[in-house]
Amino acid sequence: MLSIALRGLRSRWITFVGSFLALSLGVAMIAVMGLALASSLDAPARGPERFAAAPVVVRGQDTLRVPTPNGVRTRRLARPHVVPAHVVAALRRLGKVTQDRSFTVRAEGGPRDLAGHPWPTAAFAPYELSAGRAPRAADEVAATGGWTAVGRRVRTDSGTVRVVGTLRGPDVEDALFYTDTRASRLAPRSTQLVVDAEASAVRKVVGGRAEILTGGERRLADADPDRDAEALTALNALFGTAGGVTGFVSVFVVASTFAFTVAQRRREFGLLRVAGATPGQVRRTVLAEALLVGVLASAAGCALGGYAAPHLAERVVDGGLAPAWFSVGDHVWPYQLAFWTGLSVALTGAAAASWRAGRTGPAEALREASVDSGTLTRGRLLCGAALLGTAVVTLALTLLTEPGDLLHRKTYVSRPMLLITATALLSPALVRPLTRLITWLPARLPGAAGTLVRENAAAGVRRTAAVAAPVLVTVALTGSFLGATATLSGAKAAEARRQTAADLVVTPAAGSGGFDAATVRRLRAVPGADVSASATSAVYVLEDGVALLRSEARAVDPRSLAATARLPVTAGRVAGLDDDSIVVNEEWAAHRVGRRVTVWLGDGTRRSLRIAAVLSTGTGDNGVYVTSANAKGAPVDRVDVRARTAEGADAVAAEVRKALPAPGQPGASARVFTREEWIGATTPRADSTSRLGLLLVLGIALLYTGISLANTLVMATTGRTRELGALRLAGATSGQVLRLVAAEALTVVTVGTALGVLVAALDLLGLWGALNLLDVRTAIRMPWSAVFAAAGACAIVAVSSGVAAAGMTLRRWSGGRGGS
């Protein structure tokens, strides 16, 4: 069998090159995603940055610890504690104490992530003056980085400042250092400090009333110390999704390609059976060929994946999807996974297709070499029906039990794959009627071209289904993924629009921490308006006695909230909210009005609160509401304003702007949004990073399906030498034959597009049903421009590949005929 397989590879090298290319590219995709995923599991060890030279850092408690039967559960507090004043006083007796304050600064011409700090903390990085001097006045700063110079005046959100010094030191961040007095005004609350004393003495003074950081633990005092872990979580999600999608696409296309390769060789199998080969020998021959191609292609794919993975890492870093430190490491298991997956798919695809060829009799096999019959076998029908039934049943169960699950990315990414596979398995039953429908009008036009296109595509069901498969995947994934994100974005915008009754939404300057009390009083005093001031906080609840969950919360005045918001209440009354109660949503395990729940507030205080009202889950953004008494210290960071009359809206807007700090004062850059501006700024459309990640996943998968489409068409066209030659003998010119091939390619692409749109529509219909069950009214948003672009790209690839292959076939046929 091995010698026969080797001779078969030599004689039918074009067909096997197509299989080799499809498999090697599929293995390369799996290897690339496996390497990227493996590299995203570990972050580099990061040491202290801003406090690398600090002796001891003392931080207020910022972690909630709740004992459970399964151990202590921890969560980062929304409102960390400050170091108690009496502890600070005791520490001052040990040595010099430097309060640290950090806040965001917006500066014209400055970096986007510019931070502000008090000047005394510059020595702890350490920074040194490279030019100029230290700041001494309230309008003086020293700057890191090369974006400014000594003597320049810079407009910031807290007033215009003059750069009097530039600093050199570790490349930690872009920062402006103010005088200690000015920094304390811009950031009155300080949760950490540096003590110039022995760590043992500091521990004796502090005890358990604050956290003490020394050595490598000082990194926890840097801004966003968990950014590496968060980046890893995001990367794992991205590459996990990409790996699942690309793995599905590669396995789907490779299996389809191998099955079509074997199906093309029915005449050869028939001749072997006539020559006396047993069914087992035919199967073993096919499997031996698949083994040879699979080993070589899988090895080549692993090598290609190892070359391409570093380039993928560079792209995700350049696109802002990964931190600068991310790179592909030296891992072995992704190569093993990719190699054995590729070989298994090759053998499985060949075995499934060869089984039917091996069990036919000689005469029947020869007869089937001329006509496509029995294309939808019983096994294929049962598998396709089972997958379709599974998709429908699981969708129905999810809609009845947890419709919110359909809104999660993992669900709307994985569900189309089930529908695509079911549709592909059932495609032989769908291809012929779809083809006849699409070619109904061309077949009635003068000339034989339309009729030939219809009959060729309808008769060659296997060829049509094999070529349509990559188009089906391309269009279905494009429509499903982009349609799901667009539909969810529209749903979130519709939900926010329905819940926001305010005419204006006012937010404080970035990095200011919130509005000061005087500004809030002036805004509340705006005549002719209802004003609701609220603050961001969080509450924590222990569900099932083991899971400590955090819920975002807003601290509100329930009376003013009723005038500026229309919350989706399913039970109870928001007006019943008081200092002893809470408003929750239906996602909470306990959500019965009147029931008391034990929660921990944003500062870690334990409270037992009564449920005053319950909100619907919606798209997942309906949070928790408490009063300001249960969010102590949380600054007001949003003010909703509603004019009592439509005629007074302009006057109210003018009064709101007058109530805000004047230019040059702290908080002067507060923003005033109209209702529509606020909705546009807070809906997920602004999340370009998530969209870029989704486009990366789609781009990699769709590039592969495009190559596979060209590969399949070349294999299909080169196998039609006799058919195309018969057309030339019947009097057709080379141009007419090429136009016929192009028309057939367009017809098959149209069939694949129709099936892909059907899959995407069914997927989006399930998502729309879930949104309606969650009381979110929105329309299905099919991304027609992206779908047509994908279908157009497939059409270009299909026509160019088919025509090129047909031209080569005609030249070979003409040369062979002339030579005879």
Side-chain angles (χ1 to χ4, degrees), residues 663-731:
Q665 295 180 357
S669 61
R671 297 194 62 183
V672 180
F673 296 90
T674 65
R675 177 169 173 263
E676 290 301 319
E677 288 173 346
W678 171 255
I679 293 169
T682 54
T683 50
R685 287 191 298 258
D687 191 355
S688 59
T689 302
S690 297
R691 182 173 177 82
L692 182 60
L694 187 61
L695 291 177
L696 173 68
V697 173
L698 269 177
I700 294 173
L702 301 189
L703 176 64
Y704 176 55
T705 57
I707 296 173
S708 299
L709 174 61
N711 173 42
T712 305
L713 259 168
V714 169
M715 290 195 308
T717 306
T718 53
R720 301 174 64 188
T721 303
R722 292 176 179 271
E723 178 185 340
L724 299 181
L727 287 173
R728 292 285 287 117
L729 290 174

Side-chain angles (χ1 to χ4, degrees), residues 248-333:
F248 163 76
V249 171
S250 59
V251 169
F252 179 88
V253 172
V254 167
S256 175
T257 302
F258 268 80
F260 178 60
T261 300
V262 175
Q264 273 193 311
R265 302 171 60 193
R266 285 167 297 158
R267 183 181 296 275
E268 178 183 337
F269 296 148
L271 290 172
L272 287 173
R273 295 286 286 118
V274 169
T278 66
Q281 289 175 320
V282 172
R283 295 184 188 111
R284 287 194 294 274
T285 299
V286 175
L287 289 175
E289 292 170 349
L291 179 63
L292 289 173
V293 174
V295 169
L296 295 175
S298 296
C302 288
L304 180 60
Y307 172 78
H311 296 284
L312 173 66
E314 293 177 3
R315 294 295 181 273
V316 295
V317 170
D318 293 341
L321 298 173
W325 51 260
F326 178 72
S327 62
V328 171
D330 186 14
H331 303 278
V332 177
W333 68 262

Side-chain angles (χ1 to χ4, degrees), residues 435 438-458 720 723 727 732-733 735-745 747:
T435 302
I438 292 169
T439 58
W440 179 81
L441 180 60
R444 279 158 177 73
L445 297 176
T451 302
L452 283 174
V453 169
R454 181 188 65 187
E455 297 304 325
N456 284 340
R720 301 174 64 188
E723 178 185 340
L727 287 173
T733 64
Q736 288 174 324
V737 172
L738 294 180
R739 287 195 293 273
L740 176 66
V741 170
E744 288 181 7
T747 301

Side-chain angles (χ1 to χ4, degrees), residues 420-438:
I420 289 171
T421 308
T423 305
L425 288 173
L426 298 174
S427 60
L430 303 172
V431 162
R432 187 172 279 114
L434 265 178
T435 302
R436 294 193 178 279
L437 177 63
I438 292 169

Side-chain angles (χ1 to χ4, degrees), residues 343-437:
L343 185 57
S344 299
V345 171
L347 293 174
T348 302
S354 65
W355 178 261
R356 183 171 180 272
R359 68 184 177 87
T360 55
E364 185 182 355
L366 288 172
R367 186 164 56 249
E368 288 191 4
S370 302
V371 180
D372 268 351
S373 63
T375 53
L376 185 60
T377 62
R378 182 177 301 175
R380 185 167 185 163
L381 176 61
L382 291 176
C383 289
L387 287 176
L388 183 61
T390 301
V392 172
V393 171
T394 55
L395 174 62
L397 290 176
T398 306
L399 288 174
L400 292 173
T401 57
E402 294 291 340
D405 286 349
L406 294 176
L407 276 55
H408 299 158
R409 184 172 62 178
K410 288 183 179 180
T411 303
Y412 68 71
V413 165
S414 61
R415 183 165 291 279
M417 300 179 191
L418 197 61
L419 291 171
I420 289 171
T421 308
T423 305
L425 288 173
L426 298 174
S427 60
L430 303 172
V431 162
R432 187 172 279 114
L434 265 178
T435 302
R436 294 193 178 279
L437 177 63

